[in-house]
Amino acid sequence: MIDVAHHAGVSIASVSKVLRGAPGVSSAMKERVNASVEALSYRPHRLARGMRGPMFTVGVMLSDIENPFFSLLIQGMVEVFGSQGYELQIAPATAGEESQNSVIDSLIDHQMDGLILIAPRGREEHLERIGEQVPMVVIGPHGPSEHYDTVSGDDELGSALIVDHLVSLGHRRIAFLTNEHPADRLNLPESARARGFEEAMGRHGLSDDLLFVPGVWSLEGGRDAARRILEASPRPTAVHAGADVAAFGILSYLWEEGVRIPEDVSVAGYDNSPMGSFTPISLTSVDQSGHEMGAIAAKLLLERIAGRSEPHNDVLTPRLIVRGTTSAPGAAIQSR
Amino acid sequence: MIDVAHHAGVSIASVSKVLRGAPGVSSAMKERVNASVEALSYRPHRLARGMRGPMFTVGVMLSDIENPFFSLLIQGMVEVFGSQGYELQIAPATAGEESQNSVIDSLIDHQMDGLILIAPRGREEHLERIGEQVPMVVIGPHGPSEHYDTVSGDDELGSALIVDHLVSLGHRRIAFLTNEHPADRLNLPESARARGFEEAMGRHGLSDDLLFVPGVWSLEGGRDAARRILEASPRPTAVHAGADVAAFGILSYLWEEGVRIPEDVSVAGYDNSPMGSFTPISLTSVDQSGHEMGAIAAKLLLERIAGRSEPHNDVLTPRLIVRGTTSAPGAAIQSR
DNA sequence: GTGAAAGCGCTAACAT
DNA sequence: ATGTTAGCGCTTTCAC
């Protein structure tokens, strides 16, 4: 910056003012400085700037880089932050709680102006403590919160939509693939979806007909689960896979085994992934508008950075998307 | 840090030394300082540290957050950097060259110790200029380079593997889906794959039978291309989709139209995405070991950060994975 | 082995 | 409207 000041024949404070667009600079000064900046192809040192004021950078803790739904979220954020002059940096973590916490700490150490946590596994108390230190938005069913905002889909309702749909088709015995999680963690999507499933089944008087299949939401996890579902007695006529990726695994295994879908077994996913809409998959699923969710999270974070401190807990309404993998049990209502 | 020094009753210089593990500190001093750090739950200010020395953070320019192959790359990097005490921050960009360049600039402004660019669209000269400023590794067919390293698959060979396979099955008229790109950009995966396709066709004396289908490598792009391929006359009996995601789109459209695969049209992808291996897709594809590629890029970057300046240009050998979407033309060699 | 002090590149009072 | 200067939290000579 000193070089620029010399080149332009002005003080470094003036350079700083021009660069920040601060008030109280003549247009002549602006031109001279900008010309010198150009001539020397000077770029401001973000760290030095960050030592005094904001970094104009927000951090995202990404708990699973493979999940395509999370990619959607990030795209929504990118658009909002980009248009507001904020930069976005993503710190990849794993599913483990320690990994996620250390990634979050690192983001704070880097003096990010705000944090968005995507489906964190940390406990509420811990999240509250982070929220006290830095503006924060959590994506996932985490409300109510004191010191941070949350955005999530109404996963209980989403599960209920699936159950209602299947029951209205005539299904009674329905399986749900749990994503393995500690029983005391009520703030995870898998908890909310399991809860919604159980309640909806109860509402239809089917509490004795539900089957919880322990397993993991992944392609392989879905295949494993499908194997066990076929062996169950009585065998379920429908499966709520919990997530699209798990549904893909289930479908894959069932198809290989010659099980007809949806005639023999109906399958519903969750997330409405792009792949699911395509033939020959045509997966019945629940849409939770990830793009919009990401954009909302970004806007909430900007509000918090601007000073708001009352917590917002936004819940988006999911939509059921009926496609070809669900039908009345035993009935081939549509060709596949 | 001053607080820690007071709490421990020592100078801030000593605190600094202990924290960095610098030589010349008594073990008594170490213990006192560490105790105070613990007691005050002090965390070092990364920006202030970065103003004097390295940040121990590397930046990744991610040109497409949706591409699952890129996720694989990042997982490979995470493992290497994590074990070496480096942090990884991902800056998401779009396919546009300007977007990518500004993201790269921003990474440099943040004083990252090194950069990995995933499939950048910038020109060689521009990349060289960046490589002069900061240790850098480019993932993509960009060699030979002066001031940075590259890692890539041998995309020309990969395309040739597909052509050889299809021709050995008896195909002659084969289509290739171009990912739209400027003709003068030879350093893109799409360019290399197109080149490999053309050369291999020529080698088999089929230069007159090849069909370049302009289009985009995406689900929708694949569907569009499939429509035009069906209309082509003479109609190709096989398609090299260029990328799995495009192949999925092609398959989707062909299935909807009642075209039998592989009997009527054979389809091959590129990338060996996890989804492709599952029934009912079972896509013939080319594996380019993304995980390993990411790990190699990370190691090369660490070497550069450590001081190496001779460029390395690593090329990984791709493997053809034959599955159910390719067969002799007109022949149903395997049930789907 | 330990501490004092200069300085990294900026911003923000404050003075002119 | 412009310039001077004191820090931000750390690292790093250089004395002690």
Side-chain angles (χ1 to χ4, degrees), chain B residues 240-314:
Chain B
H240 174 350
D244 280 359
V245 63
F248 295 149
I250 292 174
L251 290 174
S252 158
Y253 185 82
L254 295 183
W255 269 314
E256 282 175 21
E257 293 297 308
V259 177
R260 292 170 308 163
I261 295 170
E263 297 88 327
D264 298 335
V265 177
S266 285
V267 177
Y270 207 110
D271 279 349
N272 194 27
S273 315
M275 281 295 302
S277 66
F278 283 81
T279 319
I281 296 183
S282 187
L283 177 68
T284 293
S285 189
V286 173
D287 185 87
Q288 40 175 351
S289 41
H291 194 278
E292 187 190 353
M293 207 182 271
I296 291 175
K299 280 176 196 150
L300 288 177
L301 187 59
L302 289 176
E303 289 173 19
R304 274 212 171 254
I305 291 174
R308 173 169 59 72
S309 57
E310 315 80 59
H312 278 208
N313 297 99
D314 274 27

Coordinates of all heavy atoms in Angstrom, one line a residue, chain B residues 240-314:
Chain B
H240 N -20.4 -42.5 -27.3 CA -19.4 -42.2 -26.3 C -19.9 -40.9 -25.7 O -19.8 -39.8 -26.3 CB -18.0 -42.0 -26.9 CG -16.9 -41.6 -26.0 ND1 -17.1 -41.1 -24.7 CD2 -15.6 -41.5 -26.2 CE1 -16.0 -40.8 -24.2 NE2 -15.0 -41.0 -25.0
A241 N -20.4 -40.9 -24.4 CA -21.1 -39.8 -23.8 C -20.2 -38.7 -23.3 O -20.6 -37.6 -23.1 CB -22.1 -40.2 -22.7
G242 N -18.9 -39.1 -23.1 CA -17.9 -38.1 -22.6 C -17.8 -38.1 -21.1 O -16.8 -37.9 -20.6
A243 N -19.0 -38.2 -20.5 CA -19.0 -38.2 -19.0 C -20.2 -39.0 -18.5 O -21.2 -39.0 -19.2 CB -19.1 -36.7 -18.5
D244 N -20.1 -39.6 -17.3 CA -21.2 -40.4 -16.8 C -22.5 -39.6 -16.7 O -23.6 -40.1 -17.1 CB -20.9 -41.0 -15.5 CG -19.9 -42.2 -15.6 OD1 -19.6 -42.6 -16.7 OD2 -19.6 -42.7 -14.5
V245 N -22.4 -38.4 -16.3 CA -23.6 -37.7 -16.0 C -24.4 -37.4 -17.3 O -25.6 -37.5 -17.4 CB -23.3 -36.3 -15.3 CG1 -22.5 -35.4 -16.1 CG2 -24.6 -35.6 -14.9
A246 N -23.6 -37.2 -18.4 CA -24.3 -37.1 -19.7 C -24.8 -38.4 -20.2 O -25.9 -38.5 -20.8 CB -23.3 -36.6 -20.7
A247 N -24.1 -39.5 -19.9 CA -24.6 -40.8 -20.2 C -25.9 -41.1 -19.5 O -26.8 -41.7 -20.1 CB -23.6 -41.9 -19.8
F248 N -26.0 -40.7 -18.3 CA -27.3 -40.9 -17.6 C -28.5 -40.2 -18.3 O -29.5 -40.8 -18.4 CB -27.2 -40.4 -16.1 CG -26.2 -41.2 -15.3 CD1 -25.5 -40.5 -14.2 CD2 -25.9 -42.5 -15.5 CE1 -24.6 -41.2 -13.4 CE2 -25.0 -43.2 -14.7 CZ -24.3 -42.5 -13.7
G249 N -28.2 -39.0 -18.7 CA -29.2 -38.3 -19.4 C -29.6 -39.0 -20.7 O -30.8 -39.2 -21.1
I250 N -28.6 -39.5 -21.4 CA -28.8 -40.2 -22.7 C -29.7 -41.5 -22.4 O -30.7 -41.7 -23.1 CB -27.5 -40.6 -23.4 CG1 -26.8 -39.3 -23.8 CG2 -27.7 -41.5 -24.5 CD1 -25.4 -39.5 -24.4
L251 N -29.2 -42.2 -21.5 CA -29.9 -43.5 -21.2 C -31.4 -43.2 -20.8 O -32.3 -43.9 -21.3 CB -29.3 -44.2 -20.0 CG -27.9 -44.8 -20.3 CD1 -27.3 -45.3 -19.0 CD2 -28.0 -45.9 -21.3
S252 N -31.6 -42.2 -20.0 CA -32.9 -41.8 -19.5 C -33.8 -41.6 -20.7 O -34.9 -42.1 -20.8 CB -32.8 -40.6 -18.7 OG -34.0 -39.9 -18.6
Y253 N -33.3 -40.8 -21.7 CA -34.2 -40.4 -22.8 C -34.4 -41.7 -23.7 O -35.6 -41.9 -24.1 CB -33.5 -39.3 -23.7 CG -34.4 -38.9 -24.8 CD1 -35.4 -37.9 -24.6 CD2 -34.2 -39.4 -26.1 CE1 -36.2 -37.5 -25.6 CE2 -35.0 -38.9 -27.2 CZ -36.0 -38.0 -26.9 OH -36.7 -37.6 -28.0
L254 N -33.4 -42.4 -23.9 CA -33.5 -43.6 -24.8 C -34.5 -44.6 -24.2 O -35.4 -45.1 -24.9 CB -32.2 -44.3 -25.0 CG -31.1 -43.4 -25.8 CD1 -29.9 -44.2 -26.0 CD2 -31.7 -43.0 -27.2
W255 N -34.4 -44.8 -22.9 CA -35.3 -45.7 -22.3 C -36.8 -45.2 -22.4 O -37.7 -46.0 -22.7 CB -35.0 -45.9 -20.8 CG -34.0 -47.0 -20.5 CD1 -34.1 -48.3 -21.1 CD2 -32.8 -47.0 -19.7 NE1 -33.1 -49.1 -20.6 CE2 -32.3 -48.3 -19.8 CE3 -32.2 -46.1 -19.0 CZ2 -31.1 -48.7 -19.1 CZ3 -31.1 -46.4 -18.3 CH2 -30.5 -47.7 -18.4
E256 N -37.0 -44.0 -22.2 CA -38.3 -43.4 -22.3 C -38.9 -43.6 -23.7 O -40.1 -43.8 -23.9 CB -38.3 -41.9 -22.0 CG -38.3 -41.6 -20.5 CD -38.2 -40.1 -20.2 OE1 -38.5 -39.3 -21.1 OE2 -37.7 -39.8 -19.1
E257 N -38.0 -43.5 -24.7 CA -38.4 -43.6 -26.1 C -38.6 -45.1 -26.5 O -38.9 -45.4 -27.7 CB -37.4 -42.9 -27.0 CG -37.4 -41.4 -26.9 CD -38.8 -40.8 -27.2 OE1 -39.3 -41.1 -28.3 OE2 -39.3 -40.1 -26.4
G258 N -38.3 -46.0 -25.6 CA -38.4 -47.4 -25.9 C -37.3 -48.0 -26.7 O -37.3 -49.1 -27.2
V259 N -36.2 -47.2 -26.8 CA -35.0 -47.8 -27.5 C -34.4 -48.8 -26.6 O -34.2 -48.5 -25.4 CB -34.0 -46.6 -27.8 CG1 -32.7 -47.1 -28.4 CG2 -34.7 -45.6 -28.7
R260 N -34.0 -49.9 -27.1 CA -33.4 -51.0 -26.3 C -31.9 -50.8 -26.1 O -31.2 -50.5 -27.1 CB -33.7 -52.4 -26.9 CG -35.2 -52.8 -26.8 CD -35.4 -54.0 -27.6 NE -34.8 -53.8 -29.0 CZ -34.6 -54.9 -29.8 NH1 -34.8 -56.1 -29.4 NH2 -34.1 -54.6 -31.0
I261 N -31.4 -50.9 -24.9 CA -30.0 -50.8 -24.6 C -29.5 -52.0 -24.0 O -30.1 -52.5 -23.0 CB -29.8 -49.6 -23.7 CG1 -30.2 -48.3 -24.4 CG2 -28.3 -49.5 -23.3 CD1 -30.3 -47.1 -23.5
P262 N -28.5 -52.6 -24.5 CA -27.6 -52.1 -25.5 C -27.9 -52.6 -26.9 O -27.2 -52.3 -27.9 CB -26.2 -52.7 -25.1 CG -26.6 -54.0 -24.5 CD -27.9 -53.8 -23.9
E263 N -29.1 -53.4 -27.1 CA -29.3 -54.0 -28.4 C -29.4 -52.9 -29.5 O -28.8 -53.1 -30.6 CB -30.6 -54.7 -28.4 CG -30.7 -55.9 -27.4 CD -31.1 -55.5 -26.0 OE1 -30.8 -54.4 -25.6 OE2 -31.8 -56.3 -25.4
D264 N -30.2 -51.9 -29.3 CA -30.3 -50.8 -30.3 C -29.2 -49.8 -30.3 O -28.7 -49.4 -31.4 CB -31.7 -50.1 -30.2 CG -32.9 -51.1 -30.3 OD1 -32.7 -52.1 -31.0 OD2 -33.9 -50.8 -29.7
V265 N -28.9 -49.4 -29.2 CA -27.8 -48.4 -29.0 C -26.9 -48.7 -27.8 O -27.5 -49.0 -26.7 CB -28.3 -47.0 -28.9 CG1 -27.2 -46.0 -28.7 CG2 -29.2 -46.6 -30.1
S266 N -25.6 -48.8 -28.0 CA -24.7 -49.0 -26.9 C -24.3 -47.6 -26.4 O -24.1 -46.7 -27.2 CB -23.5 -49.7 -27.3 OG -23.7 -51.1 -27.5
V267 N -24.1 -47.5 -25.1 CA -23.7 -46.2 -24.5 C -22.6 -46.4 -23.5 O -22.6 -47.3 -22.7 CB -24.9 -45.6 -23.7 CG1 -24.5 -44.3 -23.0 CG2 -26.1 -45.3 -24.6
A268 N -21.5 -45.6 -23.6 CA -20.4 -45.6 -22.7 C -20.3 -44.2 -22.0 O -20.4 -43.2 -22.7 CB -19.1 -46.0 -23.4
G269 N -19.9 -44.2 -20.7 CA -19.7 -43.0 -20.0 C -18.3 -42.8 -19.7 O -17.4 -43.4 -20.4
Y270 N -18.0 -41.9 -18.8 CA -16.6 -41.6 -18.4 C -16.6 -41.0 -17.0 O -17.3 -40.1 -16.7 CB -16.0 -40.6 -19.4 CG -14.4 -40.7 -19.5 CD1 -13.9 -41.1 -20.6 CD2 -13.6 -40.3 -18.4 CE1 -12.5 -41.2 -20.8 CE2 -12.2 -40.4 -18.5 CZ -11.7 -40.9 -19.7 OH -10.3 -41.0 -19.8
D271 N -15.8 -41.7 -16.1 CA -15.7 -41.2 -14.7 C -15.9 -42.4 -13.7 O -15.5 -42.3 -12.6 CB -16.6 -40.1 -14.3 CG -16.1 -38.7 -14.7 OD1 -14.9 -38.7 -15.2 OD2 -16.8 -37.7 -14.6
N272 N -16.7 -43.4 -14.2 CA -17.1 -44.5 -13.3 C -17.7 -44.0 -12.0 O -17.2 -44.3 -10.9 CB -15.9 -45.4 -13.0 CG -16.3 -46.7 -12.4 OD1 -17.4 -47.2 -12.6 ND2 -15.4 -47.3 -11.6
S273 N -18.7 -43.2 -12.1 CA -19.5 -42.7 -10.9 C -20.1 -43.9 -10.2 O -20.5 -44.9 -10.8 CB -20.6 -41.8 -11.3 OG -20.1 -40.8 -12.3
P274 N -20.2 -43.8 -8.8 CA -20.8 -44.9 -8.1 C -22.2 -45.2 -8.6 O -22.5 -46.4 -8.7 CB -20.9 -44.3 -6.7 CG -19.8 -43.3 -6.6 CD -19.7 -42.7 -8.0
M275 N -23.0 -44.3 -9.0 CA -24.4 -44.6 -9.4 C -24.3 -45.5 -10.7 O -25.2 -46.3 -10.9 CB -25.1 -43.3 -9.8 CG -25.7 -42.5 -8.7 SD -27.0 -43.4 -7.8 CE -28.2 -43.7 -9.1
G276 N -23.3 -45.3 -11.5 CA -23.3 -46.1 -12.7 C -23.1 -47.6 -12.5 O -23.6 -48.3 -13.4
S277 N -22.6 -48.0 -11.4 CA -22.3 -49.4 -11.2 C -23.6 -50.1 -10.8 O -23.7 -51.3 -10.8 CB -21.2 -49.6 -10.2 OG -21.7 -49.2 -8.9
F278 N -24.6 -49.4 -10.5 CA -25.8 -50.0 -9.9 C -26.8 -50.4 -11.0 O -27.1 -49.7 -11.9 CB -26.4 -49.1 -8.8 CG -25.7 -49.2 -7.6 CD1 -24.5 -48.5 -7.4 CD2 -26.1 -50.1 -6.5 CE1 -23.8 -48.6 -6.2 CE2 -25.3 -50.2 -5.4 CZ -24.2 -49.4 -5.2
T279 N -27.4 -51.5 -10.7 CA -28.6 -51.9 -11.5 C -29.7 -50.9 -11.3 O -29.8 -50.5 -10.1 CB -29.1 -53.3 -11.0 OG1 -28.0 -54.1 -10.8 CG2 -30.1 -53.9 -12.0
P280 N -30.4 -50.5 -12.2 CA -30.5 -51.0 -13.6 C -29.7 -50.2 -14.5 O -29.9 -50.3 -15.7 CB -32.0 -50.8 -13.9 CG -32.3 -49.5 -13.2 CD -31.5 -49.5 -11.9
I281 N -28.8 -49.4 -14.0 CA -28.0 -48.5 -15.0 C -26.9 -49.3 -15.6 O -26.8 -49.5 -16.8 CB -27.5 -47.3 -14.2 CG1 -28.7 -46.4 -13.8 CG2 -26.6 -46.5 -15.2 CD1 -28.4 -45.1 -13.1
S282 N -26.0 -49.8 -14.7 CA -25.0 -50.7 -15.1 C -24.2 -50.2 -16.3 O -24.2 -50.8 -17.4 CB -25.6 -52.1 -15.5 OG -24.5 -53.0 -15.8
L283 N -23.6 -49.0 -16.1 CA -23.1 -48.2 -17.2 C -21.6 -48.6 -17.5 O -20.8 -48.6 -16.6 CB -23.1 -46.7 -16.9 CG -22.5 -45.7 -17.9 CD1 -23.3 -45.7 -19.2 CD2 -22.4 -44.4 -17.2
T284 N -21.3 -48.9 -18.7 CA -19.9 -49.1 -19.2 C -19.2 -47.7 -19.1 O -19.8 -46.7 -19.6 CB -19.8 -49.6 -20.6 OG1 -20.4 -51.0 -20.6 CG2 -18.4 -49.6 -21.1
S285 N -18.1 -47.7 -18.4 CA -17.5 -46.4 -18.2 C -15.9 -46.5 -18.1 O -15.4 -47.6 -18.2 CB -18.0 -45.8 -16.9 OG -17.6 -44.4 -16.8
V286 N -15.3 -45.4 -17.9 CA -13.8 -45.4 -17.7 C -13.5 -44.9 -16.3 O -14.0 -43.8 -15.9 CB -13.1 -44.5 -18.8 CG1 -11.6 -44.4 -18.5 CG2 -13.4 -45.1 -20.2
D287 N -12.7 -45.7 -15.6 CA -12.4 -45.3 -14.2 C -11.1 -44.5 -14.2 O -10.1 -44.8 -14.9 CB -12.2 -46.5 -13.4 CG -12.0 -46.2 -11.9 OD1 -13.0 -46.0 -11.2 OD2 -10.8 -46.0 -11.5
Q288 N -11.1 -43.3 -13.5 CA -9.9 -42.6 -13.4 C -9.5 -42.3 -12.0 O -8.8 -41.3 -11.7 CB -10.0 -41.3 -14.2 CG -11.2 -40.5 -14.2 CD -11.1 -39.2 -15.0 OE1 -10.0 -38.8 -15.4 NE2 -12.2 -38.5 -15.1
S289 N -9.8 -43.2 -11.1 CA -9.3 -43.2 -9.7 C -9.2 -41.8 -9.1 O -8.1 -41.3 -8.8 CB -8.0 -43.9 -9.6 OG -7.2 -43.6 -10.7
G290 N -10.3 -41.1 -8.9 CA -10.3 -39.8 -8.4 C -9.7 -39.6 -7.0 O -9.0 -38.6 -6.8
H291 N -10.0 -40.6 -6.2 CA -9.4 -40.5 -4.8 C -7.9 -40.4 -4.9 O -7.3 -39.5 -4.2 CB -9.9 -41.7 -4.1 CG -9.7 -41.6 -2.6 ND1 -8.5 -41.9 -2.0 CD2 -10.6 -41.3 -1.6 CE1 -8.6 -41.7 -0.7 NE2 -9.9 -41.3 -0.4
E292 N -7.3 -41.3 -5.6 CA -5.8 -41.3 -5.7 C -5.3 -40.0 -6.4 O -4.3 -39.4 -6.0 CB -5.4 -42.5 -6.6 CG -3.9 -42.7 -6.6 CD -3.6 -43.8 -7.7 OE1 -4.5 -44.4 -8.2 OE2 -2.4 -44.0 -7.9
M293 N -6.1 -39.6 -7.4 CA -5.7 -38.3 -8.1 C -5.6 -37.2 -7.1 O -4.7 -36.4 -7.1 CB -6.7 -38.1 -9.2 CG -6.1 -37.3 -10.4 SD -7.4 -37.0 -11.6 CE -7.3 -38.4 -12.6
G294 N -6.6 -37.1 -6.2 CA -6.7 -36.0 -5.3 C -5.5 -36.1 -4.3 O -4.8 -35.1 -4.0
A295 N -5.2 -37.3 -3.9 CA -4.1 -37.5 -2.9 C -2.8 -37.1 -3.6 O -1.9 -36.5 -2.9 CB -4.1 -39.0 -2.5
I296 N -2.6 -37.5 -4.8 CA -1.3 -37.2 -5.5 C -1.2 -35.6 -5.6 O -0.1 -35.1 -5.4 CB -1.3 -37.8 -6.9 CG1 -1.2 -39.3 -6.8 CG2 -0.2 -37.2 -7.7 CD1 -1.2 -40.1 -8.1
A297 N -2.3 -35.0 -6.0 CA -2.2 -33.5 -6.1 C -1.8 -32.9 -4.8 O -1.0 -32.0 -4.7 CB -3.6 -33.0 -6.5
A298 N -2.4 -33.4 -3.7 CA -2.1 -32.9 -2.4 C -0.6 -33.1 -2.1 O 0.1 -32.2 -1.6 CB -2.9 -33.6 -1.3
K299 N -0.1 -34.3 -2.4 CA 1.4 -34.5 -2.1 C 2.2 -33.6 -2.9 O 3.2 -33.1 -2.4 CB 1.7 -36.0 -2.4 CG 1.2 -36.9 -1.2 CD 1.5 -38.4 -1.6 CE 0.7 -39.3 -0.6 NZ 0.3 -40.6 -1.3
L300 N 1.9 -33.5 -4.2 CA 2.7 -32.6 -5.0 C 2.7 -31.2 -4.5 O 3.7 -30.5 -4.5 CB 2.2 -32.6 -6.5 CG 2.4 -33.9 -7.3 CD1 1.7 -33.8 -8.6 CD2 3.9 -34.2 -7.4
L301 N 1.6 -30.7 -4.0 CA 1.5 -29.4 -3.5 C 2.4 -29.2 -2.3 O 3.1 -28.2 -2.1 CB 0.0 -29.0 -3.2 CG -0.1 -27.5 -2.8 CD1 0.3 -26.6 -3.9 CD2 -1.6 -27.2 -2.4
L302 N 2.3 -30.2 -1.4 CA 3.2 -30.2 -0.2 C 4.6 -30.1 -0.6 O 5.4 -29.4 0.1 CB 2.9 -31.4 0.7 CG 1.5 -31.3 1.4 CD1 1.3 -32.6 2.2 CD2 1.4 -30.1 2.3
E303 N 5.0 -30.9 -1.6 CA 6.4 -30.8 -2.0 C 6.8 -29.4 -2.5 O 7.9 -28.9 -2.3 CB 6.6 -31.8 -3.2 CG 6.6 -33.3 -2.8 CD 6.7 -34.2 -4.0 OE1 7.1 -33.8 -5.1 OE2 6.3 -35.4 -3.8
R304 N 5.9 -28.8 -3.3 CA 6.1 -27.5 -3.8 C 6.2 -26.5 -2.7 O 7.1 -25.6 -2.7 CB 5.0 -27.0 -4.7 CG 5.2 -27.5 -6.1 CD 4.6 -26.5 -7.2 NE 5.0 -26.9 -8.5 CZ 6.0 -26.3 -9.2 NH1 6.5 -25.2 -8.7 NH2 6.3 -26.8 -10.3
I305 N 5.3 -26.6 -1.7 CA 5.4 -25.7 -0.5 C 6.7 -25.9 0.2 O 7.3 -24.9 0.7 CB 4.2 -26.0 0.4 CG1 2.9 -25.6 -0.2 CG2 4.4 -25.2 1.7 CD1 1.6 -25.9 0.5
A306 N 7.2 -27.1 0.2 CA 8.5 -27.4 0.8 C 9.7 -26.9 0.0 O 10.8 -26.9 0.5 CB 8.6 -28.9 1.1
G307 N 9.4 -26.4 -1.2 CA 10.5 -25.8 -1.9 C 10.8 -26.3 -3.3 O 11.5 -25.6 -4.1
R308 N 10.2 -27.4 -3.7 CA 10.5 -27.9 -5.1 C 10.1 -26.9 -6.1 O 9.0 -26.3 -6.0 CB 9.9 -29.3 -5.3 CG 10.0 -29.8 -6.7 CD 9.6 -31.2 -6.9 NE 8.3 -31.5 -6.5 CZ 7.2 -31.1 -7.2 NH1 7.3 -30.4 -8.3 NH2 6.0 -31.4 -6.8
S309 N 10.8 -26.8 -7.2 CA 10.4 -25.9 -8.2 C 10.3 -26.5 -9.6 O 9.8 -25.9 -10.6 CB 11.2 -24.6 -8.2 OG 12.6 -24.9 -8.4
E310 N 11.0 -27.7 -9.8 CA 10.9 -28.3 -11.1 C 9.4 -28.9 -11.2 O 8.9 -29.5 -10.3 CB 11.8 -29.5 -11.2 CG 13.2 -29.3 -10.7 CD 13.3 -29.4 -9.2 OE1 12.9 -30.5 -8.7 OE2 13.7 -28.4 -8.6
P311 N 8.8 -28.6 -12.4 CA 7.4 -29.0 -12.5 C 7.3 -30.6 -12.7 O 8.1 -31.2 -13.3 CB 7.0 -28.3 -13.8 CG 8.3 -28.1 -14.5 CD 9.3 -27.8 -13.5
H312 N 6.2 -31.1 -12.1 CA 5.9 -32.5 -12.2 C 4.6 -32.5 -13.0 O 3.6 -31.7 -12.7 CB 5.7 -33.2 -10.9 CG 6.9 -33.6 -10.3 ND1 7.0 -34.7 -9.4 CD2 8.2 -33.2 -10.4 CE1 8.2 -34.9 -9.0 NE2 9.0 -34.0 -9.6
N313 N 4.4 -33.4 -14.0 CA 3.2 -33.6 -14.7 C 2.8 -35.0 -14.6 O 3.2 -35.8 -15.5 CB 3.3 -33.1 -16.1 CG 3.7 -31.6 -16.2 OD1 4.8 -31.2 -16.4 ND2 2.7 -30.8 -16.0
D314 N 2.0 -35.4 -13.6 CA 1.6 -36.8 -13.5 C 0.4 -37.1 -14.3 O -0.5 -36.4 -14.4 CB 1.3 -37.1 -12.0 CG 2.5 -37.4 -11.2 OD1 3.6 -37.0 -11.6 OD2 2.4 -38.1 -10.2

